[in-house]
Amino acid sequence: MPELDAPTTIKAFEERLLEVSSSLPKRLRQCADYVAANQDRIAVSTVATMAEGAGVQPSAFMRFCQILGFTGFSEMQKLFRESYSGGWPDYSTRLEHLRDSGSGSPSALLAEFVDAGRTSLESLLKTMDAEMLDAAVAALAKANMVHIVGYRRSFPAASYLAYAFEKMDVPAMLHSGIGRLDSRHALRPGDVLIAISFAPYSAETVELAEAAHAAGVTVVAITDTVVSPLRKLDALILSVSEVDFGAFRSLSATLSLAITLAVAVGTMRQNGKI
Amino acid sequence: MPELDAPTTIKAFEERLLEVSSSLPKRLRQCADYVAANQDRIAVSTVATMAEGAGVQPSAFMRFCQILGFTGFSEMQKLFRESYSGGWPDYSTRLEHLRDSGSGSPSALLAEFVDAGRTSLESLLKTMDAEMLDAAVAALAKANMVHIVGYRRSFPAASYLAYAFEKMDVPAMLHSGIGRLDSRHALRPGDVLIAISFAPYSAETVELAEAAHAAGVTVVAITDTVVSPLRKLDALILSVSEVDFGAFRSLSATLSLAITLAVAVGTMRQNGKI
DNA sequence: ATAAATTTGGACTATATATTCCATTTTTGG
DNA sequence: CCAAAAATGGAATATATAGTCCAAATTTAT
């Protein structure tokens, strides 16, 4: 058989499908039509399901895959599973490879981290809950004082927020934990606390957020996964899932969210006052 | 076992995950964290892949599925496959849409800042001087102690560097200026100073860098324009031009550069020692 | 410090699913 | 209308993957 090479991108796949579909016998044509109309199901279905959907026997569907240039259904499915957009590249293993293979020149590393940052930014935009963001901005705009807490890897974001609020003339206080002073008594009614914490959630941050919640202070939480302990307080949740490499994460998305908060809140306050 | 009913919606799944995750032993907790951060992967992965991602044995992952209330991985996967609607979200159109609609809303601002971050990252990759970067990494890898200084808007980057060096077991000291202590005497021969400063260059940073230079301590400067005073000391210059909005800048590029330095230096030290 | 209980890793088994093969049916061309 | 070629359906087989079980390691309680 003069079997052709298998398509390696969805685009190539679509072209091949179009190209082939005009000269297909009945059953195979059904396959083509069904696939064209249900591309998204390929990644999560079995041959049997696809065949049933198309109204043909599984073996017919197999032949269809082969005509398209794949060795079988599995190979075709692989294409769709890999290019399934939700699938982030697995950075930690990629990084290990880079380092192990000695090709880990600083420049190569930089390229990886830049790429991770880009991915995080895109994902931030796709997943941010606009209503939650509006609500958080509104709450912060009305606050007497904005408290900010975030330790360890969240500390850079916390300190940036403090800087940005200061620039926007928003009264803000960074709880840095210096001197182990217990700062929870600074939380007064009418204040708002921004708590930033990512897995593994540092105990101090969670405690302060809990204290705030107990004292009736509104909490805005910048956090990641659904298992975050910050979700248990009924806080305004701003979800940020940053691509990470073991202990590191680029923070690009978190920082962008931070500036947004500061500018939006600052602007709203100025408009309200003047 | 008093096995509970399996979650039938993603929402219920997330709740169960949150509910259960606090009382989980090490390996199972890894599963929970990985799943929380990679929900979208479940539909298109095998147990083996998921287990590898979470860093556990497949059998551990199976147990995890069962604890969540499913009979096994297949049942859990079924939930995600069924509620998988396809729909690859299109980032660029979404961005345009966000910007067009209601300019000035927090979401529109976010879109702007995300875009700025992306631009900065791209430009970082294009303009980074690979040789300079190599030289900086080499110098830092040989240092007895790495000193880090950066105030005001550079402080988040400085604190992130301190965090990342700590994680990589590189002895590092963050000069934070707390209590106005004069820390310049901590600079010893054989040390290296990373000075981070962007226009307008804060006097304290420049002074410390000058003191270091005078004391024969190598200076690595992360800075922007060609008029930066840090360029006068013959330092190793890492140029970062971050897109900015008046007083703000996203810091995405600076932070990516920071992780790169930490990982590259940490790796080089570990390889050299062992 | 010791015993009990829990957790873990990995070998083993069961099962679901893909893939092939071939007898039967349908289409095509003379 | 017949023979040859192509297409089809379904049974048989191979393979990948899920799921189980238990001995070893770890943690916890006494």
Side-chain angles (χ1 to χ4, degrees):
Chain A
M1 316 283 110
E3 279 318 328
L4 300 129
D5 47 310
T8 53
T9 66
I10 304 285
K11 197 111 189 52
F13 171 87
E14 288 171 347
E15 275 159 21
R16 173 71 53 85
L17 187 60
L18 186 59
E19 182 186 317
V20 129
S21 65
S22 47
S23 61
L24 243 34
K26 194 175 162 211
R27 295 273 112 113
L28 297 183
R29 148 134 258 141
Q30 286 173 237
C31 294
D33 291 347
Y34 183 75
V35 162
N38 300 279
Q39 270 195 43
D40 51 334
R41 303 247 45 119
I42 297 173
V44 295
S45 294
T46 65
V47 239
T49 321
M50 292 299 290
E52 197 193 327
V56 305
Q57 289 288 325
S59 53
F61 201 88
M62 289 300 303
R63 276 190 300 265
F64 170 72
C65 297
Q66 284 160 355
I67 284 169
L68 250 33
F70 301 99
T71 64
F73 176 70
S74 296
E75 198 182 286
M76 178 167 125
Q77 191 175 50
K78 208 170 133 217
L79 170 65
F80 282 84
R81 288 190 170 173
E82 277 166 5
S83 54
Y84 164 59
S85 165
W88 291 8
D90 187 346
Y91 279 101
S92 2
T93 48
R94 238 168 97 183
L95 241 195
E96 266 169 41
H97 283 200
L98 248 186
R99 289 198 291 204
D100 295 348
S101 67
S103 64
S105 76
S107 309
L109 274 178
L110 183 64
E112 287 291 327
F113 287 120
V114 163
D115 195 42
R118 258 203 299 250
T119 309
S120 295
L121 286 172
E122 282 182 23
S123 143
L124 171 67
L125 203 55
K126 276 192 294 210
T127 62
M128 178 51 58
D129 178 339
E131 286 174 26
M132 232 6 148
L133 182 59
D134 289 348
V137 169
L140 287 163
K142 276 183 294 192
N144 286 330
M145 166 73 84
V146 175
H147 299 264
I148 306 162
V149 64
Y151 292 112
R152 306 193 53 74
R153 66 173 144 192
S154 307
F155 182 68
S159 63
Y160 188 69
L161 259 177
Y163 167 81
F165 275 131
E166 184 217 299
K167 280 281 171 200
M168 294 300 289
D169 269 327
V170 176
M173 170 175 172
L174 177 63
H175 292 241
S176 62
I178 283 178
R180 296 254 176 264
L181 297 174
D182 190 342
S183 54
R184 76 186 60 186
H185 299 298
L187 299 166
R188 322 279 319 171
D191 290 0
V192 175
L193 171 70
I194 303 182
I196 313 175
S197 189
F198 301 110
Y201 313 94
S202 84
E204 295 95 323
T205 307
V206 176
E207 275 161 27
L208 190 61
E210 279 164 356
H213 179 53
V217 167
T218 305
V219 176
V220 172
I222 298 181
T223 191
D224 51 0
T225 66
V226 291
V227 300
S228 166
L230 292 178
R231 292 184 190 250
K232 286 178 187 160
L233 329 163
D234 54 2
L236 296 161
I237 305 284
L238 302 175
S239 243
V240 177
S241 58
E242 198 91 53
V243 171
D244 66 25
F245 313 83
F248 305 103
R249 57 185 65 209
S250 71
L251 286 187
S252 297
T254 315
L255 271 277
S256 298
L257 178 59
I259 318 181
T260 304
L261 279 180
V263 174
V265 170
T267 311
M268 190 175 281
R269 278 178 171 251
Q270 279 155 26
N271 292 345
K273 271 181 196 160
I274 302 166
Chain B
M1 308 288 107
E3 280 317 330
L4 299 131
D5 47 311
T8 52
T9 67
I10 304 285
K11 197 106 191 56
F13 172 87
E14 288 174 349
E15 274 159 23
R16 173 70 53 86
L17 188 59
L18 184 58
E19 183 186 315
V20 128
S21 66
S22 46
S23 61
L24 242 34
K26 192 171 161 217
R27 294 275 109 109
L28 297 182
R29 148 132 257 144
Q30 284 173 241
C31 294
D33 292 346
Y34 184 76
V35 162
N38 300 278
Q39 272 194 43
D40 46 349
R41 277 266 163 97
I42 298 173
V44 296
S45 293
T46 65
V47 238
T49 320
M50 293 297 291
E52 197 193 325
V56 304
Q57 290 286 325
S59 55
F61 201 88
M62 290 297 305
R63 262 176 268 129
F64 170 73
C65 297
Q66 283 160 357
I67 283 170
L68 250 34
F70 301 99
T71 63
F73 176 70
S74 296
E75 198 182 285
M76 177 166 125
Q77 191 175 52
K78 209 171 131 216
L79 170 65
F80 283 84
R81 288 191 168 172
E82 277 165 4
S83 55
Y84 161 77
S85 58
W88 284 269
D90 184 348
Y91 166 74
S92 40
T93 49
R94 172 93 196 254
L95 184 111
E96 269 169 39
H97 182 255
L98 267 180
R99 282 208 290 224
D100 295 348
S101 68
S103 55
S105 79
S107 304
L109 270 178
L110 183 65
E112 289 293 336
F113 288 121
V114 162
D115 201 38
R118 284 158 51 92
T119 309
S120 295
L121 286 171
E122 265 161 44
S123 114
L124 172 67
L125 253 195
K126 271 187 285 195
T127 61
M128 177 51 55
D129 178 341
E131 283 175 28
M132 210 44 121
L133 181 59
D134 288 347
V137 168
L140 287 164
K142 276 184 294 195
N144 285 330
M145 168 70 85
V146 176
H147 299 263
I148 306 162
V149 64
Y151 292 111
R152 306 195 53 74
R153 69 172 143 192
S154 307
F155 182 68
S159 64
Y160 189 69
L161 259 178
Y163 167 81
F165 275 131
E166 184 217 300
K167 279 282 169 198
M168 295 300 288
D169 268 326
V170 176
M173 172 175 170
L174 177 64
H175 292 242
S176 62
I178 283 179
R180 296 257 177 260
L181 297 174
D182 190 343
S183 55
R184 75 186 59 184
H185 300 298
L187 298 166
R188 324 277 321 170
D191 290 359
V192 175
L193 171 72
I194 303 181
I196 313 175
S197 190
F198 300 108
Y201 313 95
S202 83
E204 296 95 322
T205 306
V206 176
E207 274 162 27
L208 190 63
E210 278 165 354
H213 180 53
V217 166
T218 305
V219 176
V220 172
I222 299 180
T223 191
D224 51 0
T225 66
V226 288
V227 302
S228 166
L230 293 177
R231 292 184 191 250
K232 286 178 189 159
L233 331 161
D234 53 2
L236 297 160
I237 305 284
L238 302 175
S239 243
V240 178
S241 60
E242 199 89 54
V243 172
D244 65 28
F245 305 82
F248 304 104
R249 57 186 64 210
S250 72
L251 285 186
S252 296
T254 314
L255 271 280
S256 296
L257 178 59
I259 319 183
T260 303
L261 280 180
V263 173
V265 170
T267 309
M268 189 174 281
R269 276 178 171 252
Q270 279 156 25
N271 292 344
K273 270 181 196 157
I274 303 166

